[in-house]
Amino acid sequence: GKEVAVLSGQKDVQRVVVSRDGKWLATSCAKGKLGIWDLGKRKLLHLFDAQQARGFGMSFRPDGKQVATVGVDGVLNVWDRATGDREAKVDLSMDLTRPRSVHFTPDGGTLVVSGTGRGEAIVWWEFVGGRLRGSVDQPRGAKFLDHRCAALSPDGKVLATVNNATIQLWDLRERPKPP
């Protein structure tokens, strides 16, 4: 519970995510900037325009080499952590008008994106080769609520979404077939 450092160099930070090995930090701010930090050196390595949306979702690939971002603009990006270069870009707005969260699966080969809007879906995007693996709409009779955030279980089998009053759990073990 003791403060060990204060990091400065990026204003209006709204979200943070730490890599699994604890070496890297990614931050997003109100103006759509992505910050990549070296936690060992307590140093900001990169600060650049990443999304056209504020407070966008982020996830480190399990090996810490890439950071995925997704914003309410419907764009999914994958960035190289070391250089800050964009490695992939996919427009998901046909499936999700307002993506809220992105998570790498434990093997690092797939991104799970959830959001609301036109499709109100959970979308799988295969990272290798940059193709959309498929999407699944809400189960019949279930209401996919306008969630604020989501979390993926460590084994990648369950996605939890939450709004102000409800927590929903989604079974991700059976993925849809590719389109």
Side-chain angles (χ1 to χ4, degrees):
K2 186 177 181 183
E3 182 178 288
V4 295
V6 175
L7 305 176
S8 60
Q10 185 178 6
K11 296 181 180 180
D12 301 322
V13 173
Q14 294 185 338
R15 293 188 183 179
V16 297
V17 64
V18 177
S19 63
R20 283 190 184 187
D21 61 10
K23 294 180 180 179
W24 313 103
L25 175 75
T27 55
S28 69
C29 76
K31 297 189 180 197
K33 293 197 179 287
L34 174 66
I36 305 290
W37 302 76
D38 180 324
L39 287 179
K41 296 179 181 176
R42 312 276 198 258
K43 180 179 178 184
L44 178 63
L45 301 176
H46 307 289
L47 182 63
F48 53 90
D49 294 325
Q51 298 287 151
Q52 294 182 2
R54 64 178 192 260
F56 49 85
M58 303 169 292
S59 179
F60 273 100
R61 191 165 185 202
D63 63 10
K65 293 181 179 179
Q66 286 93 12
V67 178
T69 62
V70 66
V72 295
D73 56 359
V75 177
L76 169 66
N77 292 293
V78 178
W79 307 93
D80 182 278
R81 186 240 335 126
T83 65
D85 293 337
R86 182 184 354 236
E87 294 187 342
K89 179 179 180 180
V90 176
D91 183 353
L92 300 175
S93 61
M94 293 304 291
D95 292 305
L96 301 169
T97 57
R98 291 175 39 205
R100 298 284 186 145
S101 67
V102 59
H103 302 278
F104 273 101
T105 54
D107 65 3
T110 304
L111 288 160
V112 177
V113 183
S114 62
T116 60
R118 180 177 20 260
E120 298 192 72
I122 299 168
V123 174
W124 284 263
W125 183 72
E126 188 174 315
F127 180 66
V128 179
R131 66 182 173 87
L132 191 63
R133 182 174 180 154
S135 65
V136 62
D137 290 324
Q138 62 193 27
R140 288 181 188 252
K143 184 176 180 186
F144 192 90
L145 301 172
D146 184 15
H147 68 276
R148 304 289 182 251
C149 63
L152 185 65
S153 63
D155 62 6
K157 294 178 181 177
V158 176
L159 182 73
T161 60
V162 63
N163 70 5
N164 290 336
T166 304
I167 299 168
Q168 291 177 287
L169 301 178
W170 303 88
D171 185 344
L172 302 185
R173 288 178 291 189
E174 291 191 34
R175 296 183 184 163
K177 295 184 182 348

